[in-house]
Amino acid sequence: DEELLSKLPSAPSTTYFEEESAWRFHNPAFQNDSFEQLTIMRDESKIPYITPAVSSHELQPLPSPPPLPDFPDTGFCQWSFDETSRVLLAKFLPFKGEKLFGKIMVNPEDERFLLRMMERDDITVISERLADE
């Protein structure tokens, strides 16, 4: 439906890979008699911003993911990131005050950052001591 296709968002202006727009980077060239051809033939001229169809050996590498934002520095959590494995470690620290000595306190800033990072699909997030209680 042309009206529906016209409502597709324009191509992202970022040079980074984002899962939500990954379809823009690869448009497989299915043969008419291929088992992968699950839909009626596409008229690609009517689909805005679509990458021309290419075969698998012509695929270009995907763009790199966006960089991580600066880590919060609240004193309640130590953040570290291993670029090679793309693992973000959130190590929650025991409280040092008198009343709640040894308890894990989650600062709202650390919590917001943790949840934002858990939404990303280009990294693995590991939290330490968060669920010890």
Side-chain angles (χ1 to χ4, degrees), residues 2 16 33 97 121 131:
E2 273 189 62
Y16 298 117
D33 58 352
D121 49 21

Side-chain angles (χ1 to χ4, degrees), residues 45-65:
S45 65
K46 294 184 178 181
I47 303 176
Y49 316 111
I50 195 162
T51 303
V54 296
S55 63
S56 59
H57 68 277
E58 295 174 308
L59 285 176
Q60 297 298 312
L62 291 173
S64 60

Side-chain angles (χ1 to χ4, degrees), residues 90-94 104 127-133:
K91 186 175 182 179
F92 288 89
L93 305 172
I104 300 296
S127 61
E128 187 176 304
R129 297 187 185 134
L130 185 59
D132 286 350
E133 297 300 316

Side-chain angles (χ1 to χ4, degrees), residues 54-103:
V54 296
S55 63
S56 59
H57 68 277
E58 295 174 308
L59 285 176
Q60 297 298 312
L62 291 173
S64 60
L68 295 182
D70 293 335
F71 301 146
D73 186 16
T74 62
F76 291 93
C77 184
Q78 288 177 340
W79 298 92
S80 60
F81 181 65
D82 180 66
E83 187 68 47
T84 305
S85 63
R86 303 215 37 91
V87 171
L88 175 66
L89 175 63
K91 186 175 182 179
F92 288 89
L93 305 172
F95 190 68
K96 293 183 171 69
E98 286 184 32
K99 272 188 165 180
L100 300 171
F101 185 80
K103 297 283 187 187

Side-chain angles (χ1 to χ4, degrees), residues 79 90 92 110-118 125 130:
W79 298 92
F92 288 89
D110 288 319
E111 181 180 21
R112 276 191 303 277
F113 186 78
L114 176 68
L115 295 175
R116 276 186 28 232
M117 295 301 102
M118 291 174 87
V125 179
L130 185 59

